[in-house]
Protein backbone atom coordinates (compact mmCIF):
# COMPACT_ATOMS: atom_id res chain seq x y z
CA UNK A 1 0.00 0.00 0.00
CA UNK A 2 1.43 3.38 -1.04
CA UNK A 3 0.22 5.72 1.74
CA UNK A 4 0.71 2.97 4.23
CA UNK A 5 4.48 2.97 3.50
CA UNK A 6 6.85 1.03 1.35
CA UNK A 7 8.23 -2.36 2.24
CA UNK A 8 11.16 -2.57 4.61
CA UNK A 9 13.55 -5.46 4.20
CA UNK A 10 14.98 -4.96 7.68
CA UNK A 11 13.27 -6.70 10.60
CA UNK A 12 10.07 -5.10 11.95
CA UNK A 13 7.71 -6.12 14.75
CA UNK A 14 4.09 -6.73 13.72
CA UNK A 15 1.84 -4.84 16.16
CA UNK A 16 -1.89 -5.61 16.46
CA UNK A 17 -3.45 -2.93 18.68
CA UNK A 18 -6.98 -4.07 19.57
CA UNK A 19 -9.78 -3.29 21.99
CA UNK A 20 -8.81 -5.91 24.57
CA UNK A 21 -5.04 -5.79 24.23
CA UNK A 22 -1.93 -5.53 22.09
CA UNK A 23 -0.22 -8.44 20.36
CA UNK A 24 3.29 -8.23 18.93
CA UNK A 25 5.24 -10.69 16.74
CA UNK A 26 8.79 -10.60 15.42
CA UNK A 27 10.00 -12.93 12.68
CA UNK A 28 13.44 -13.58 11.27
CA UNK A 29 13.57 -13.76 7.48
CA UNK A 30 14.80 -16.52 5.25
CA UNK A 31 13.29 -19.18 3.00
CA UNK A 32 11.14 -20.14 5.97
CA UNK A 33 10.77 -17.33 8.53
CA UNK A 34 11.49 -18.19 12.15
CA UNK A 35 9.50 -16.87 15.08
CA UNK A 36 11.79 -14.81 17.28
CA UNK A 37 9.40 -13.30 19.80
CA UNK A 38 5.73 -12.99 20.71
CA UNK A 39 4.05 -11.18 23.56
CA UNK A 40 0.65 -9.80 24.50
CA UNK A 41 -0.49 -7.24 27.07
CA UNK A 42 -4.08 -6.34 28.04
CA UNK A 43 -5.59 -2.87 27.75
CA UNK A 44 -8.01 -1.21 30.21
CA UNK A 45 -11.69 -1.16 29.31
CA UNK A 46 -12.50 1.76 26.96
CA UNK A 47 -8.84 2.58 26.22
CA UNK A 48 -9.68 1.82 22.57
CA UNK A 49 -13.25 1.93 21.29
CA UNK A 50 -14.74 -0.74 18.99
CA UNK A 51 -14.73 1.84 16.18
CA UNK A 52 -10.92 2.13 16.52
CA UNK A 53 -10.82 5.46 18.39
CA UNK A 54 -7.97 5.67 20.90
CA UNK A 55 -9.66 7.20 23.93
CA UNK A 56 -6.91 6.68 26.52
CA UNK A 57 -3.68 7.65 24.76
CA UNK A 58 -1.47 7.31 27.85
CA UNK A 59 -2.87 3.90 28.74
CA UNK A 60 -2.01 2.56 25.28
CA UNK A 61 1.46 4.15 25.41
CA UNK A 62 2.15 2.58 28.82
CA UNK A 63 0.94 -0.81 27.60
CA UNK A 64 3.31 -0.62 24.63
CA UNK A 65 6.21 0.27 26.90
CA UNK A 66 5.41 -2.71 29.14
CA UNK A 67 5.11 -4.98 26.11
CA UNK A 68 8.58 -4.17 24.82
CA UNK A 69 10.32 -3.88 28.19
CA UNK A 70 9.21 -7.37 29.21
CA UNK A 71 10.00 -9.08 25.90
CA UNK A 72 12.99 -10.05 23.78
CA UNK A 73 12.17 -8.05 20.67
CA UNK A 74 15.31 -7.05 18.78
CA UNK A 75 13.80 -4.10 16.89
CA UNK A 76 11.75 -1.04 17.83
CA UNK A 77 10.59 -0.53 14.27
CA UNK A 78 6.96 -1.62 14.10
CA UNK A 79 4.28 -2.37 11.51
CA UNK A 80 0.90 -1.38 12.99
CA UNK A 81 -2.51 -2.74 11.97
CA UNK A 82 -5.29 -0.20 11.39
CA UNK A 83 -9.03 -0.87 11.56
CA UNK A 84 -12.34 0.76 12.47
CA UNK A 85 -14.73 3.29 11.03
CA UNK A 86 -11.89 5.61 9.98
CA UNK A 87 -10.93 3.04 7.31
CA UNK A 88 -13.05 2.63 4.17
CA UNK A 89 -12.55 -0.02 1.48
CA UNK A 90 -14.67 -0.13 -1.67
CA UNK A 91 -14.50 -2.39 -4.72
CA UNK A 92 -15.23 -0.36 -7.86
CA UNK A 93 -15.06 -0.84 -11.62
CA UNK A 94 -13.15 1.50 -13.91
CA UNK A 95 -12.03 1.55 -17.53
CA UNK A 96 -8.88 -0.51 -17.95
CA UNK A 97 -5.71 1.58 -17.55
CA UNK A 98 -2.19 1.38 -16.20
CA UNK A 99 -1.33 1.71 -12.53
CA UNK A 100 0.23 5.11 -13.24
CA UNK A 101 -2.89 6.36 -15.06
CA UNK A 102 -5.11 5.15 -12.23
CA UNK A 103 -2.93 6.91 -9.67
CA UNK A 104 -3.42 10.18 -11.54
CA UNK A 105 -7.22 9.76 -11.64
CA UNK A 106 -7.71 8.29 -8.17
CA UNK A 107 -8.65 11.50 -6.38
CA UNK A 108 -11.49 12.26 -8.81
CA UNK A 109 -12.83 8.72 -8.77
CA UNK A 110 -12.72 8.48 -4.97
CA UNK A 111 -14.89 11.56 -4.53
CA UNK A 112 -18.08 9.65 -5.35
CA UNK A 113 -17.32 6.65 -3.13
CA UNK A 114 -15.67 7.97 0.05
CA UNK A 115 -17.93 9.54 2.74
CA UNK A 116 -15.11 11.76 4.08
CA UNK A 117 -13.62 15.02 2.93
CA UNK A 118 -10.86 13.88 0.59
CA UNK A 119 -8.43 16.43 2.02
CA UNK A 120 -8.78 14.59 5.34
CA UNK A 121 -7.86 11.11 4.09
CA UNK A 122 -4.97 9.13 2.68
CA UNK A 123 -5.98 7.29 -0.49
CA UNK A 124 -4.63 4.14 -2.06
CA UNK A 125 -5.77 1.40 -4.41
CA UNK A 126 -5.10 -2.13 -5.62
CA UNK A 127 -5.93 -3.33 -9.14
CA UNK A 128 -7.71 -6.66 -8.68
CA UNK A 129 -7.95 -7.75 -12.32
CA UNK A 130 -10.11 -7.55 -15.43
CA UNK A 131 -13.88 -7.10 -15.16
CA UNK A 132 -16.74 -7.63 -17.60
CA UNK A 133 -16.64 -5.11 -20.41
CA UNK A 134 -19.15 -2.26 -20.52
CA UNK A 135 -20.39 -1.44 -24.04
CA UNK A 136 -17.27 -3.00 -25.47
CA UNK A 137 -14.90 -0.95 -23.30
CA UNK A 138 -12.38 -3.06 -21.32
CA UNK A 139 -12.95 -2.67 -17.57
CA UNK A 140 -11.07 -3.63 -14.41
CA UNK A 141 -11.90 -4.17 -10.76
CA UNK A 142 -10.16 -1.84 -8.29
CA UNK A 143 -10.11 -1.92 -4.51
CA UNK A 144 -10.18 1.64 -3.22
CA UNK A 145 -8.82 2.31 0.29
CA UNK A 146 -9.19 5.50 2.33
CA UNK A 147 -7.92 6.16 5.84
CA UNK A 148 -8.54 9.31 7.85
CA UNK A 149 -5.28 11.15 8.35
CA UNK A 150 -5.96 12.00 12.00
CA UNK A 151 -6.60 8.32 12.76
CA UNK A 152 -3.36 7.18 11.08
CA UNK A 153 -1.47 9.95 12.86
CA UNK A 154 -3.05 8.93 16.19
CA UNK A 155 -2.02 5.28 16.04
CA UNK A 156 1.45 6.27 14.86
CA UNK A 157 1.70 8.75 17.75
CA UNK A 158 1.08 6.14 20.46
CA UNK A 159 3.92 4.06 19.02
CA UNK A 160 6.25 7.05 18.84
CA UNK A 161 5.40 8.15 22.38
CA UNK A 162 6.25 4.64 23.57
CA UNK A 163 9.73 4.96 22.08
CA UNK A 164 8.94 2.92 18.97
CA UNK A 165 9.40 3.73 15.29
CA UNK A 166 6.11 3.30 13.35
CA UNK A 167 7.62 2.32 10.00
CA UNK A 168 4.45 0.80 8.46
CA UNK A 169 0.72 1.34 9.02
CA UNK A 170 -1.41 -1.24 7.16
CA UNK A 171 -5.09 -2.12 7.31
CA UNK A 172 -5.84 -5.34 9.15
CA UNK A 173 -7.67 -7.15 6.28
CA UNK A 174 -4.53 -6.86 4.15
CA UNK A 175 -2.44 -8.25 7.00
CA UNK A 176 -4.85 -11.21 7.18
CA UNK A 177 -4.50 -11.63 3.42
CA UNK A 178 -0.73 -11.82 3.82
CA UNK A 179 -0.91 -14.47 6.52
CA UNK A 180 -3.41 -16.49 4.47
CA UNK A 181 -1.26 -16.38 1.33
CA UNK A 182 1.84 -17.37 3.32
CA UNK A 183 0.22 -20.36 5.01
CA UNK A 184 -2.41 -21.46 2.47
CA UNK A 185 -0.88 -20.43 -0.85
CA UNK A 186 -1.96 -23.72 -2.44
CA UNK A 187 -5.59 -22.55 -2.16
CA UNK A 188 -5.10 -19.37 -4.20
CA UNK A 189 -5.97 -20.98 -7.54
CA UNK A 190 -8.93 -19.08 -8.97
CA UNK A 191 -9.89 -21.76 -11.51
CA UNK A 192 -13.62 -22.44 -11.26
CA UNK A 193 -14.04 -19.12 -9.37
CA UNK A 194 -13.06 -20.51 -5.97
CA UNK A 195 -12.33 -17.90 -3.28
CA UNK A 196 -11.64 -18.05 0.45
CA UNK A 197 -13.27 -16.14 3.29
CA UNK A 198 -11.42 -15.12 6.44
CA UNK A 199 -13.24 -14.09 9.62
CA UNK A 200 -11.34 -12.50 12.48
CA UNK A 201 -13.46 -12.59 15.64
CA UNK A 202 -12.05 -9.75 17.71
CA UNK A 203 -13.04 -8.03 20.92
CA UNK A 204 -14.15 -4.83 19.17
CA UNK A 205 -15.40 -6.03 15.78
CA UNK A 206 -15.74 -9.13 13.63
CA UNK A 207 -13.81 -8.62 10.39
CA UNK A 208 -14.77 -10.44 7.20
CA UNK A 209 -12.33 -10.59 4.26
CA UNK A 210 -12.54 -12.34 0.91
CA UNK A 211 -9.33 -13.40 -0.84
CA UNK A 212 -9.50 -13.79 -4.63
CA UNK A 213 -6.24 -15.21 -5.90
CA UNK A 214 -3.49 -13.33 -4.09
CA UNK A 215 -5.58 -10.19 -3.45
CA UNK A 216 -8.07 -9.14 -0.77
CA UNK A 217 -11.11 -8.01 -2.78
CA UNK A 218 -13.82 -7.50 -0.16
CA UNK A 219 -13.84 -6.46 3.50
CA UNK A 220 -16.55 -5.71 6.04
CA UNK A 221 -16.54 -5.02 9.78
CA UNK A 222 -19.47 -6.32 11.86
CA UNK A 223 -20.42 -4.77 15.18
CA UNK A 224 -21.16 -8.13 16.80
CA UNK A 225 -17.96 -9.02 18.64
CA UNK A 226 -16.50 -10.41 21.82
CA UNK A 227 -17.23 -7.13 23.63
CA UNK A 228 -20.83 -6.95 22.40
CA UNK A 229 -21.41 -10.42 23.88
CA UNK A 230 -19.91 -9.22 27.17
CA UNK A 231 -22.18 -6.16 27.12
CA UNK A 232 -25.23 -8.39 26.67
CA UNK A 233 -24.25 -10.48 29.69
CA UNK A 234 -23.63 -7.33 31.73
CA UNK A 235 -26.98 -5.79 30.83
CA UNK A 236 -29.12 -8.90 31.17
CA UNK A 237 -27.56 -10.13 34.41
CA UNK A 238 -26.89 -6.74 36.00
CA UNK A 239 -23.15 -7.18 36.52
CA UNK A 240 -20.14 -4.99 35.67
CA UNK A 241 -18.39 -5.39 32.32
CA UNK A 242 -15.23 -6.91 33.88
CA UNK A 243 -17.39 -9.40 35.79
CA UNK A 244 -19.41 -10.17 32.66
CA UNK A 245 -16.17 -10.87 30.76
CA UNK A 246 -15.11 -13.34 33.43
CA UNK A 247 -18.54 -15.02 33.34
CA UNK A 248 -18.38 -15.34 29.55
CA UNK A 249 -15.20 -17.39 29.89
CA UNK A 250 -15.44 -19.20 33.23
CA UNK A 251 -19.23 -19.65 33.50
CA UNK A 252 -20.16 -20.17 29.86
CA UNK A 253 -22.02 -23.42 30.58
CA UNK A 254 -24.19 -22.01 33.35
CA UNK A 255 -27.79 -21.79 32.04
CA UNK A 256 -28.29 -18.00 32.23
CA UNK A 257 -24.92 -17.20 30.71
CA UNK A 258 -25.12 -20.01 28.13
CA UNK A 259 -28.46 -18.71 26.85
CA UNK A 260 -27.08 -15.21 26.29
CA UNK A 261 -23.99 -16.56 24.54
CA UNK A 262 -26.15 -18.80 22.33
CA UNK A 263 -28.27 -15.79 21.30
CA UNK A 264 -25.13 -13.85 20.48
CA UNK A 265 -23.70 -16.69 18.38
CA UNK A 266 -26.98 -17.07 16.50
CA UNK A 267 -27.20 -13.33 15.75
CA UNK A 268 -23.57 -13.16 14.66
CA UNK A 269 -23.89 -16.24 12.42
CA UNK A 270 -26.96 -14.74 10.78
CA UNK A 271 -25.08 -11.51 10.05
CA UNK A 272 -22.14 -13.48 8.66
CA UNK A 273 -24.51 -15.34 6.36
CA UNK A 274 -25.97 -12.06 5.08
CA UNK A 275 -22.49 -10.63 4.53
CA UNK A 276 -21.27 -13.60 2.51
CA UNK A 277 -24.54 -13.70 0.55
CA UNK A 278 -24.03 -10.02 -0.31
CA UNK A 279 -20.53 -10.74 -1.59
CA UNK A 280 -21.79 -13.61 -3.77
CA UNK A 281 -24.59 -11.39 -5.14
CA UNK A 282 -21.89 -8.95 -6.32
CA UNK A 283 -19.67 -11.74 -7.70
CA UNK A 284 -22.02 -14.51 -8.89
CA UNK A 285 -19.19 -16.33 -10.71
CA UNK A 286 -17.36 -16.90 -7.41
CA UNK A 287 -17.74 -19.83 -5.00
CA UNK A 288 -16.51 -19.67 -1.39
CA UNK A 289 -14.44 -22.85 -1.06
CA UNK A 290 -13.67 -22.43 2.64
CA UNK A 291 -14.08 -20.17 5.66
CA UNK A 292 -11.00 -19.63 7.85
CA UNK A 293 -11.54 -18.26 11.34
CA UNK A 294 -9.21 -16.67 13.88
CA UNK A 295 -9.24 -14.25 16.81
CA UNK A 296 -9.87 -14.67 20.52
CA UNK A 297 -13.67 -14.53 20.17
CA UNK A 298 -13.58 -17.41 17.67
CA UNK A 299 -13.36 -19.66 20.74
CA UNK A 300 -16.73 -18.48 22.05
CA UNK A 301 -18.71 -21.52 23.20
CA UNK A 302 -21.14 -22.65 20.51
CA UNK A 303 -19.98 -20.24 17.81
CA UNK A 304 -18.69 -22.81 15.31
CA UNK A 305 -21.84 -25.02 15.50
CA UNK A 306 -23.99 -21.89 15.02
CA UNK A 307 -21.94 -20.95 11.94
CA UNK A 308 -22.07 -24.49 10.54
CA UNK A 309 -25.87 -24.41 10.78
CA UNK A 310 -26.08 -21.28 8.59
CA UNK A 311 -23.04 -21.31 6.29
CA UNK A 312 -22.60 -23.83 3.51
CA UNK A 313 -18.82 -23.60 3.09
CA UNK A 314 -16.59 -25.73 5.36
CA UNK A 315 -15.12 -23.92 8.38
CA UNK A 316 -11.45 -24.21 9.32
CA UNK A 317 -9.38 -22.72 12.12
CA UNK A 318 -6.72 -20.48 10.57
CA UNK A 319 -3.22 -21.31 11.76
CA UNK A 320 -1.01 -18.26 11.09
CA UNK A 321 2.24 -20.00 12.01
CA UNK A 322 1.94 -23.41 10.37
CA UNK A 323 4.62 -22.51 7.79
CA UNK A 324 6.96 -20.77 10.23
CA UNK A 325 10.08 -22.79 10.94
CA UNK A 326 10.75 -23.19 14.64
CA UNK A 327 9.69 -21.05 17.54
CA UNK A 328 12.92 -19.84 19.09
CA UNK A 329 14.42 -21.12 22.34
CA UNK A 330 12.58 -18.54 24.46
CA UNK A 331 9.08 -19.48 23.29
CA UNK A 332 7.02 -21.91 25.35
CA UNK A 333 4.25 -24.24 24.21
CA UNK A 334 1.49 -22.15 25.82
CA UNK A 335 2.64 -19.00 24.02
CA UNK A 336 2.74 -20.87 20.70
CA UNK A 337 -0.80 -22.16 21.27
CA UNK A 338 -2.04 -18.67 22.12
CA UNK A 339 -0.32 -17.18 19.09
CA UNK A 340 -2.00 -19.71 16.81
CA UNK A 341 -5.46 -18.21 17.45
CA UNK A 342 -4.65 -14.64 18.56
CA UNK A 343 -1.71 -13.73 16.35
CA UNK A 344 -2.98 -13.76 12.75
CA UNK A 345 -2.94 -9.97 12.24
CA UNK A 346 0.39 -9.48 14.03
CA UNK A 347 2.00 -12.31 12.03
CA UNK A 348 0.60 -10.88 8.79
CA UNK A 349 2.04 -7.47 9.60
CA UNK A 350 5.42 -8.97 10.37
CA UNK A 351 5.37 -10.99 7.14
CA UNK A 352 5.03 -7.82 5.09
CA UNK A 353 8.46 -6.79 6.24
CA UNK A 354 9.90 -9.99 4.83
CA UNK A 355 8.95 -9.10 1.29
CA UNK A 356 5.25 -9.97 0.99
CA UNK A 357 3.09 -7.40 -0.81
Amino acid sequence: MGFISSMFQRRLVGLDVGVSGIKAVELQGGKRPRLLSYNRVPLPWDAIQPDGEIREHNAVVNALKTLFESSSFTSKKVAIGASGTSIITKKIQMPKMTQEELGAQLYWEAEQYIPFQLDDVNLDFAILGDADSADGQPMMDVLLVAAKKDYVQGIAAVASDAGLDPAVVDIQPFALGNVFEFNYGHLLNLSHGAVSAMIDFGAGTTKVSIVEGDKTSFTRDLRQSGTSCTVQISQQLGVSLPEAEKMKIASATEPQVAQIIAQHCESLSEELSRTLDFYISQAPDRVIQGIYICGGASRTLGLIPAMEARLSAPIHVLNPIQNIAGSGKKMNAEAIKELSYLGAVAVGLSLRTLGDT
Side-chain angles (χ1 to χ4, degrees):
M1 302 298 293
F3 80 80
I4 287 166
S5 184
S6 60
M7 293 298 301
F8 286 76
Q9 295 305 312
R10 71 193 76 179
R11 190 178 300 159
L12 305 186
V13 177
L15 204 60
D16 178 10
V17 182
V19 169
S20 63
I22 305 173
K23 283 85 72 179
V25 170
E26 184 177 13
L27 303 176
Q28 183 178 52
K31 291 185 178 180
R32 289 193 69 190
R34 185 168 67 90
L35 179 62
L36 289 184
S37 189
Y38 162 72
N39 199 10
R40 175 176 65 94
V41 293
L43 284 172
W45 281 97
D46 290 337
I48 296 180
Q49 298 298 295
D51 64 3
E53 177 193 356
I54 298 176
R55 185 165 291 182
E56 298 290 342
H57 177 93
N58 290 339
V60 180
V61 169
N62 290 335
L64 283 169
K65 289 180 178 179
T66 299
L67 180 69
F68 276 75
E69 288 169 357
S70 61
S71 306
S72 55
F73 297 111
T74 67
S75 175
K76 289 196 173 182
K77 291 184 175 293
V78 296
I80 311 174
S83 66
T85 56
S86 293
I87 308 289
I88 297 291
T89 62
K90 179 73 174 178
K91 184 179 178 180
I92 63 175
Q93 285 193 349
M94 294 183 62
K96 194 168 183 179
M97 64 185 74
T98 66
Q99 185 140 331
E100 292 73 21
E101 291 170 333
L102 179 56
Q105 294 189 26
L106 185 63
Y107 184 92
W108 310 110
E109 288 295 328
E111 211 166 20
Q112 57 186 311
Y113 299 109
I114 302 302
F116 306 137
Q117 292 293 323
L118 292 189
D119 289 342
D120 297 334
V121 301
N122 295 311
L123 291 174
D124 206 355
F125 65 90
I127 297 175
L128 301 176
D130 293 342
D132 292 336
S133 298
D135 300 324
Q137 181 180 24
M139 303 291 288
M140 64 182 184
D141 287 326
V142 176
L143 186 68
L144 183 64
V145 183
K148 281 190 173 182
K149 292 177 180 177
D150 57 355
Y151 169 75
V152 174
Q153 292 165 358
I155 59 175
V158 294
S160 296
D161 290 350
L164 307 175
D165 180 0
V168 175
V169 177
D170 196 3
I171 66 171
Q172 291 187 3
F174 288 179
L176 287 172
N178 284 339
V179 87
F180 185 82
E181 181 181 359
F182 176 73
N183 289 286
Y184 300 90
H186 61 288
L187 299 176
L188 298 181
N189 186 354
L190 256 183
S191 61
H192 310 299
V195 301
S196 301
M198 286 179 295
I199 307 176
D200 181 8
F201 295 92
T205 59
T206 296
K207 303 173 186 67
V208 181
S209 306
I210 301 291
V211 175
E212 297 183 8
D214 62 351
K215 295 182 175 66
T216 299
S217 64
F218 173 88
T219 71
R220 177 167 290 181
D221 283 6
L222 308 182
R223 291 187 176 183
Q224 293 97 325
S225 63
T227 296
S228 68
C229 181
T230 301
V231 169
Q232 292 173 30
I233 295 171
S234 172
Q235 292 176 344
Q236 294 188 39
L237 300 185
V239 298
S240 68
L241 286 172
E243 182 62 26
E245 180 70 17
K246 292 178 183 177
M247 294 174 71
K248 183 178 70 176
I249 298 170
S251 306
T253 58
E254 294 184 5
Q256 283 185 305
V257 179
Q259 183 179 5
I260 298 169
I261 293 176
Q263 292 169 349
H264 165 78
C265 292
E266 178 64 23
S267 174
L268 177 52
S269 298
E270 184 177 350
E271 187 62 27
L272 289 170
S273 177
R274 283 196 291 262
T275 298
L276 296 179
D277 285 347
F278 173 79
Y279 165 76
I280 291 297
S281 73
Q282 303 298 305
D285 59 331
R286 299 291 189 244
V287 176
I288 297 175
Q289 60 84 22
I291 298 170
Y292 296 81
I293 66 173
C294 60
S298 67
R299 293 156 62 90
T300 301
L301 184 67
L303 177 59
I304 291 179
M307 292 174 62
E308 289 174 334
R310 285 191 171 271
L311 307 178
S312 57
I315 297 169
H316 312 276
V317 176
L318 176 73
N319 182 359
I321 57 173
Q322 70 175 11
N323 282 349
I324 291 176
S327 59
K329 295 180 179 179
K330 296 182 180 180
M331 300 294 292
N332 59 50
E334 192 61 32
I336 294 295
K337 179 181 177 181
E338 180 180 283
L339 178 58
S340 67
Y341 66 88
L342 287 180
V345 169
V347 171
L349 290 165
S350 190
L351 281 169
R352 283 204 56 182
T353 70
L354 301 176
D356 285 11
T357 57

